[in-house]
Amino acid sequence: MMYASFKSIGAYLPKEVRTNQWFADKIDTTDEWIFKRTGIKERLIAAPDENTSDLGVKASKVAIERACIDVSEIDLVICATLSPDFSAMPATACLIADKLGIKDVMAFDISAACTGFVYAVSVAKAFVESGMKKNVLIVGAEKASNVMDYTDRSICMLFGDGAGAAIISTTDDKEKSIVDVQCSADGALSDILYIPGVGSADEKFMHMKGNETFKIAVKTLTSDVEKIMAKNNYTNEDIDLFIPHQANFRIIKAVGTALKLNDSQKVLTVEKFGNTSSASIPMAMNECYEDGRLTNGKTMLLDAFGGGATWGSAIIKFDGKDFIK
Ligand code: UT7
């Protein structure tokens, strides 16, 4: 039996730091309101000439190097994004593959909003375990600033830009593999969080029923983790790092409390990155990798909720080399 192992993680952090005060200077809000309601102090913003695929390429290069493989060994590229370079085609994954010099391989995007990276892990695992692919590059990349209406105070200060990437490869060692991924969706909730039409001038912005989304997110994120833990006979003590989607500190706190996870297990990056949608989990994972919390053999619990509505969770044993400064 072939298993899928999580071989590496990398990220790219855009250079511009945009503080809450930037928003307070432009719209009817305050630094205090934003921080108290969301836990966000700042977010990163991509340069005008940096597209989502460019962010994805920069994160991918780090992940590929850390996996100690050559680009020629990658046989599938998957990009999860809600802010693609082009609204319908070509897929951002095709652009990423081309910019990395990856030729003649399958490349496609996943549209699952903030759950996109967990969906990508699920798809990569299936391809690897079926024997169809050996080394899959998965990317969560967002230039969310492209789909923000900077006059809409209900949403514009929540999101930031960035990218994370990982290599999922074959292994015959079950103890070092991705334990389980479960993903789900409910299109009946499509109106709580949506972008009418990326690309058309007046319809490209994201809309969210924030409070409704908040309540559904807390409930769904909690019950989803309870299901995957019970299914795999895992208890809280088996989890080293709980890496949830970083939308709102209050959501993470409520879910963490409901699941009885302690503070040292919870990973929080929302304060400095804001919500980077599909990039938020891999960016948070990369933080843990670079600060030494994520080492070979550690067990991660991922948990995400996003537009669609989509949600998903995963239990993953990290099979990469430890970070060397
Ligand atoms: O990534 C995918 C999943 N995303 C999420 O899960 C995000 C979920 N939602 C949230 O994080 C929160 O709902 C928000 C941060 C968006 C909003 O927080 P909230 O506690 O749900 O606030 P609210 O929408 O209920 O608004 C409370 C008050 C309202 O005023 P009144 O009616 O009480 O007078 C709003 O008009 O805050 C007001 N308000 C603001 N005030 C200052 C709304 N936005 C702002 C703002 N600055 N930016």
Side-chain angles (χ1 to χ4, degrees), residues 181-195:
V181 194
Q182 64 183 20
C183 293
S184 200
D186 182 0
L189 295 171
S190 57
D191 67 334
I192 61 168
L193 183 48
Y194 62 98
I195 301 173

Side-chain angles (χ1 to χ4, degrees), residues 28-29 33 37-38 114 153-154 157-158 193 208 210-211 213-214 217 245 247-248 250-251 275 305-306:
D28 183 16
T29 191
W33 190 95
R37 298 279 177 146
T38 69
C114 303
R153 74 168 187 167
S154 73
M157 69 293 162
L158 301 175
L193 183 48
M208 176 167 66
N211 203 263
T213 305
F214 187 106
H245 169 51
N248 187 317
R250 288 157 53 217
I251 295 179
N275 181 347
F305 180 88

